[in-house]
Amino acid sequence: MRPFQEVCERWDATFAENESISDLRAAVKNEGDQSPCTNGLRTLSDSRSAYGALRDHFLKDIKHPDDISEADPLTSDDTSPWSVLRQDEALRAEIFQDVERCMPENHYFREPSTQAMLLDILFIHCKLNRDVGYRQGMHEVLAPMLWVVSCDAIDGDCSTSPVEDDLPKYASIRDYFDSQYVEHDTFTLFGIIMQTVKSFYEMGTTSTVSPSSASSNSPIIERSHRIHEVYLRQADPELADHLTAIEILPQIFLIRWIRLMFGREFPLDHVLIVWDVLFAEDPTLDLIDLVCVSMLLRIRWQRKCLAPAD
């Protein structure tokens, strides 16, 4: 979290030369101090009351199981409150296994309060998106967002500030970056991003013809093959042929790159810069395909030549 004065300074830096969304999208491509990603703010969010209502609805029995008085706790009816509670507890246990392993080198993600926010956000998101549910890797998409919202929030301990608190602008800043709503704002941002990223986690339809045909229906598998057979082959046919010859399926490495939006390929600070440009340049995230090709070309250039066993 940041002191109020620093948040105000970063607010001014964010909008100093940027009067529209188009200006901000262009500005994030700048390097150094001219970029709002360096000395500005990344988060501006709302929809807090909606998330509060969702928490009350989906976490009521989780937080207060003793309040469930109706129905037989031993019933086999899947729609009974007790059966739903057991299903929710199993889902939360699955999610928490990944939450515990999230960014182990970063102390912030080892804190119980941070892990609780990650768990609750992912759980509520899954309850709202039952068609996909929870998939491994979603926690690594959420974690950088929580980190950014938390960093941009105003430190509640820093109540004094030399700026004029009564000015409407600074009143808005206090509201936008209120540390009490870190979880709420992160949920909103995560939901917006997952509208696009959701397809990365869809498993596709199951075929009764053959096991391989089921895989071909998965959007992420189809995307991986398109990157290899179309984009990479156009950019570097020799490299595409080489990967085929040594029988390296593109999804072996591309699934992780795409689903996590390169979250494991770079340090967190660099990941945030990559995401800033991706979200600003192409909200559909189709640009990820070309970034994958660029990374493959970079790896080849670093090795200078292709050895038979590469």
Side-chain angles (χ1 to χ4, degrees):
M1 297 183 186
R2 311 182 195 277
F4 180 52
Q5 181 180 2
E6 181 182 348
V7 172
C8 292
E9 292 171 353
R10 285 175 173 266
W11 174 284
D12 291 336
T14 300
F15 296 104
E17 304 293 336
N18 306 299
E19 299 181 353
S20 66
I21 295 297
S22 297
D23 291 340
L24 282 171
R25 286 177 175 170
V28 298
K29 302 174 191 176
N30 296 329
E31 297 182 0
D33 294 339
Q34 297 302 313
S35 173
C37 304
T38 302
N39 57 8
L41 294 163
R42 282 188 167 95
T43 57
L44 295 171
S45 189
D46 204 344
S47 305
R48 294 165 175 173
S49 59
Y51 180 67
L54 289 171
R55 276 187 58 88
D56 292 341
H57 177 70
F58 288 117
L59 300 180
K60 178 182 63 175
D61 293 340
I62 291 287
K63 304 295 186 183
H64 306 285
D66 293 338
D67 292 346
I68 303 177
S69 57
E70 57 186 74
D72 179 2
L74 301 180
T75 183
S76 58
D77 182 3
D78 290 339
T79 62
S80 76
W82 288 105
S83 295
V84 172
L85 176 60
R86 286 191 287 268
Q87 295 166 17
D88 289 348
E89 288 175 337
L91 173 59
R92 289 173 67 84
E94 177 187 356
I95 295 171
F96 193 66
Q97 286 182 338
D98 288 340
V99 167
E100 283 188 306
R101 296 192 292 261
C102 185
M103 297 192 187
E105 72 286 352
N106 190 322
H107 178 72
Y108 175 72
F109 294 101
R110 306 275 60 78
E111 296 179 1
S113 59
T114 302
Q115 295 182 349
M117 286 191 287
L118 289 170
L119 175 60
D120 288 345
I121 292 172
L122 289 167
F123 172 72
I124 293 173
H125 177 80
C126 292
K127 296 290 285 186
L128 294 173
N129 297 270
R130 299 171 189 266
D131 54 328
V132 175
Y134 178 72
R135 296 285 184 269
Q136 193 171 42
M138 289 181 177
H139 66 297
E140 296 193 53
V141 175
L142 172 61
M145 298 182 193
L146 180 59
W147 170 260
V148 165
V149 176
S150 179
C151 286
D152 281 350
I154 296 173
D155 189 343
D157 294 333
C158 299
S159 56
T160 59
S161 172
V163 300
E164 299 179 55
D165 293 352
D166 58 334
L167 292 178
K169 178 176 72 170
Y170 296 122
S172 297
I173 292 175
R174 284 194 180 278
D175 180 54
Y176 285 141
F177 303 102
D178 191 334
S179 59
Q180 296 182 61
Y181 297 103
V182 166
E183 182 179 337
H184 302 64
D185 294 346
T186 303
F187 175 83
T188 300
L189 291 174
F190 182 65
I192 292 171
I193 298 303
M194 285 302 295
Q195 291 178 13
T196 301
V197 176
K198 179 180 178 180
S199 64
F200 301 170
Y201 293 89
E202 292 174 344
M203 303 302 290
T205 58
T206 302
S207 171
T208 57
V209 178
S210 68
S212 60
S213 62
S215 298
S216 65
N217 288 329
S218 169
I220 191 70
I221 300 295
E222 292 178 352
R223 187 168 190 159
S224 299
H225 282 289
R226 183 172 66 251
I227 292 171
H228 179 263
E229 296 298 336
V230 179
Y231 304 135
L232 180 61
R233 192 165 295 282
Q234 289 178 352
D236 192 333
E238 183 182 0
L239 177 56
D241 289 340
H242 177 73
L243 294 176
T244 300
I246 60 178
E247 299 182 345
I248 294 182
L249 298 175
Q251 60 265 33
I252 290 177
F253 53 91
L254 287 178
I255 285 181
R256 188 177 86 172
W257 290 5
I258 296 170
R259 281 183 172 171
L260 306 186
M261 295 183 289
F262 316 108
R264 287 192 191 174
E265 315 314 315
F266 307 104
L268 178 59
D269 288 348
H270 294 180
V271 170
L272 297 181
I273 295 173
V274 171
W275 285 18
D276 286 333
V277 176
L278 281 176
F279 298 151
E281 182 70 20
D282 178 24
T284 68
L285 299 181
D286 290 339
L287 186 60
I288 284 179
D289 297 1
L290 302 184
V291 176
C292 290
V293 174
S294 298
M295 289 179 61
L296 287 169
L297 295 177
R298 175 78 179 194
I299 293 170
R300 179 183 180 174
W301 295 338
Q302 286 178 335
R303 295 196 174 193
K304 296 182 180 178
C305 61
L306 293 171
D310 278 357

